[in-house]
């Protein structure tokens, strides 16, 4: 997660996300699992692949002006879509150039701190690699089942 976002969360919300940074070696393994047909070092191909996720029909569109969406429940979305409830998720804000790991339960509890519609595009991947999502700045959540 960007240093500035971490500082804002700490200073304004009193919340410090319990992120586990992924090492370069682990990052290569994770990327090869997410994109098995691509060269791990081919950042352009990876960016294009992620961009293609945005053409998948969204499974949900968040509108934070809607009171109900202010209480959006990511865990309920996983259950509704019958997705695996894994232990951790991998999160990236920059097309997997940097990857953090966080427990899925923490991510679900504090979802609003991890993604800001309008500002962020976030890629999320289950640690069992059975699903991946693009949370795009327009409020759309796109799901890729693997």
């Amino acid at each position: 997660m960007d240093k500035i976002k971490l500082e804002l969360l700490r200073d304004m919300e009193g919340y410090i996300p319990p992120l586990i940074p992924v090492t370069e070696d682990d990052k290569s393994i994770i990327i090869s699992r997410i994109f098995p047909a691509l060269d791990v070092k081919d950042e352009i191909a990876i960016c294009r692949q992620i961009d293609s996720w945005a053409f998948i029909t969204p499974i949900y569109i968040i509108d934070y002006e809607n009171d109900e969406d202010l209480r959006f429940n990511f865990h309920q979305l996983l259950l509704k879509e019958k997705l695996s409830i894994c232990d951790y998720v991998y999160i990236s804000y920059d097309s997997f150039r940097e990857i953090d790991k966080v427990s899925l339960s923490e991510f679900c509890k504090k979802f609003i701190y991890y993604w800001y519609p309008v500002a962020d595009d976030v890629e999320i991947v289950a640690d069992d690699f059975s699903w991946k999502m693009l949370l795009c700045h327009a409020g759309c959540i796109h799901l890729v089942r693997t």
Side-chain angles (χ1 to χ4, degrees):
M1 184 179 281
D2 293 336
K3 184 178 178 185
I4 192 157
K5 187 182 235 183
L6 288 169
E7 289 171 358
L8 281 171
L9 286 173
R10 183 195 65 218
D11 296 346
M12 297 183 75
E13 303 290 340
Y15 175 69
I16 301 171
L19 299 170
I20 304 165
V22 171
T23 66
E24 280 300 312
D25 290 339
D26 287 341
K27 183 177 118 174
S28 292
I29 293 166
I30 292 165
I31 290 172
S32 68
R33 293 285 310 269
I34 298 169
F35 306 105
L38 301 179
D39 176 359
V40 169
K41 298 194 184 314
D42 189 346
E43 289 185 6
I44 293 172
I46 291 170
C47 286
R48 285 185 181 136
Q49 186 66 39
I50 294 166
D51 288 347
S52 75
W53 299 356
F55 291 101
I56 297 168
T57 302
I59 58 172
Y60 197 88
I61 300 174
I62 293 182
D63 173 8
Y64 279 118
E65 292 181 16
N66 176 341
D67 286 343
E68 198 171 302
D69 279 353
L70 283 172
R71 295 180 298 277
F72 174 76
N73 188 315
F74 192 80
H75 188 261
Q76 288 298 319
L77 180 68
L78 296 176
L79 295 174
K80 177 181 167 262
E81 293 296 324
K82 298 182 172 111
L83 299 175
S84 69
I85 306 298
C86 52
D87 293 330
Y88 291 91
V89 288
Y90 297 109
I91 304 171
S92 177
Y93 294 85
D94 61 355
S95 301
F96 297 103
R97 287 180 192 92
E98 289 184 34
I99 303 172
D100 291 314
K101 182 177 177 180
V102 67
S103 76
L104 179 61
S105 64
E106 177 69 19
F107 181 80
C108 290
K109 278 191 277 189
K110 302 288 189 173
F111 177 76
I112 196 164
Y113 296 117
Y114 289 94
W115 177 46
Y116 298 107
V118 181
D120 286 334
D121 286 336
V122 180
E123 301 90 26
I124 302 171
V125 179
D127 70 350
D128 66 0
F129 301 98
S130 63
W131 55 265
K132 47 197 172 194
M133 290 185 189
L134 172 64
L135 312 177
C136 77
H137 64 277
C140 300
I141 300 177
H142 304 275
L143 168 66
V144 179
R145 295 175 195 268
T146 51

